[in-house]
Amino acid sequence: MDISVIVPLYNEEESLPELYEWIARVMKANGFSYEIIFVNDGSTDRSWQVIEELSRKSDAVKGIKFRRNYGKSPALYCGFERAQGDVVITMDADLQDSPDEIPELYRMITQDGYDLVSGWKQKRYDPLSKTIPTKLFNATARAVSGIHNLHDFNCGLKAYRREVIKNIEVYGEMHRYIPYLAKNAGFCRIGEKVVHHQARKYGKTKFGLNRFVNGYLDLLTLWFLSKFGIKPMHIFGFLGSIMFILGFIAVITVGATKLYDMYHGNPYGLVTDNPYFYLALTTMILGTQLFLAGFIGELIVRNAPERNKYQIEKEL
Ligand code: UDP
Ligand code: MG
């Protein structure tokens, strides 16, 4: 099979028939063999009935129905599990992404050799309250992930070589950073294609402004995991050592000052009158705590199934 289209959706009943017709039209015109996997993320409207009707009409339509709303990442995860096409395309259900982009995305993966091609909504039809934070968000994501050629990490329209999605694990709200996940898994040929974007026709957006707060926290998490995920001691031990050394210097200063003053008959007070005493106290306690965090991290990693999971590309 050439292409799997994965469509995560939550309460998008009005858009689905139109989206299906459009995808089917594009596929037919280009002679692709394909499947469309609709992942109904606990919709409370008639979305699932619509999907059932569509699947009666066409064998290419497949559906997954969650019992409740889990989020876009879990929906993508289950779609990825099921996908069989050589090229896997994800697309939002709200008709903001255009199926007309599919042939070119397919070509970029199969002929230009990209592992992943992300859409770039260069001209957006979204409110300003969304486009401005989005710019900031993308700049940060570029800096942290080191993928400097992407303008639009969170674009719902993306294409992947099948191996990519079978070897990464999207969870929580990590769908915003799939290119980063792919890069961490060793898929470095990441490209971009300018795509048409349209204003939402039906329904309303499912993500509020808290997406940006959560987005930043998730980015931090990913950065941390990619750097220290299987060697936590390297960060905690490092910070702990710095703290401990600072504390040690402070202790020596406190002790030496007092001894010096005693021997030379200078007036001297209690060590607790010396500000360095408090510095020594806090930094040494913090240093010990950081070390403990490192050791506990190492104990956890020792039992983590990921500790020896590698991406082996070829073997002879
Ligand atoms: N979506 C989903 N589960 C959710 C929230 C959203 O499957 O909990 C789907 C939604 O139906 C749409 C896509 O994810 O197909 C993108 O959502 P939306 O259009 O609301 O996001 P925006 O375009 O505002 O970024
Ligand atoms: Mg949308």
Side-chain angles (χ1 to χ4, degrees), residues 245-262:
I245 292 170
L246 280 179
F248 196 70
I249 296 174
V251 164
I252 300 285
T253 318
V254 172
T257 318
K258 179 146 185 181
L259 287 177
Y260 180 86
D261 288 340
M262 282 169 86

Side-chain angles (χ1 to χ4, degrees), residues 12 72 92-97 121 124 126 130 197-200 204-207 211:
E12 312 275 6
K72 189 174 175 185
D92 288 354
D94 53 6
L95 294 167
Q96 291 196 274
D97 302 327
K121 296 163 287 191
R124 291 184 72 128
D126 277 322
K130 187 161 148 194
H197 186 236
Q198 305 175 68
R200 214 179 218 285
K204 53 178 189 297
T205 179
K206 308 298 181 311
F207 298 100
R211 73 167 92 196

Side-chain angles (χ1 to χ4, degrees), residues 273-290:
D273 293 339
N274 189 334
Y276 282 107
F277 173 81
Y278 297 98
L279 200 70
L281 201 68
T282 21
T283 48
M284 287 181 102
I285 291 176
L286 280 178
T288 318
Q289 295 277 308
L290 283 166

Side-chain angles (χ1 to χ4, degrees), residues 62-127:
K62 298 170 186 176
I64 298 174
K65 180 173 188 272
F66 284 173
R67 208 177 284 283
R68 69 171 185 82
N69 177 243
Y70 285 105
K72 189 174 175 185
S73 291
L76 286 175
Y77 173 83
C78 291
F80 286 162
E81 289 257 282
R82 177 114 177 237
Q84 291 177 325
D86 300 330
V87 171
V88 175
I89 297 199
T90 59
M91 183 178 278
D92 288 354
D94 53 6
L95 294 167
Q96 291 196 274
D97 302 327
S98 156
D100 288 332
E101 312 283 353
I102 293 176
E104 176 62 11
L105 288 170
Y106 179 81
R107 198 196 60 76
M108 287 175 80
I109 299 278
T110 51
Q111 286 173 34
D112 296 350
Y114 286 109
D115 293 321
L116 186 168
V117 179
S118 179
W120 173 17
K121 296 163 287 191
Q122 198 170 20
K123 183 149 177 39
R124 291 184 72 128
Y125 295 89
D126 277 322

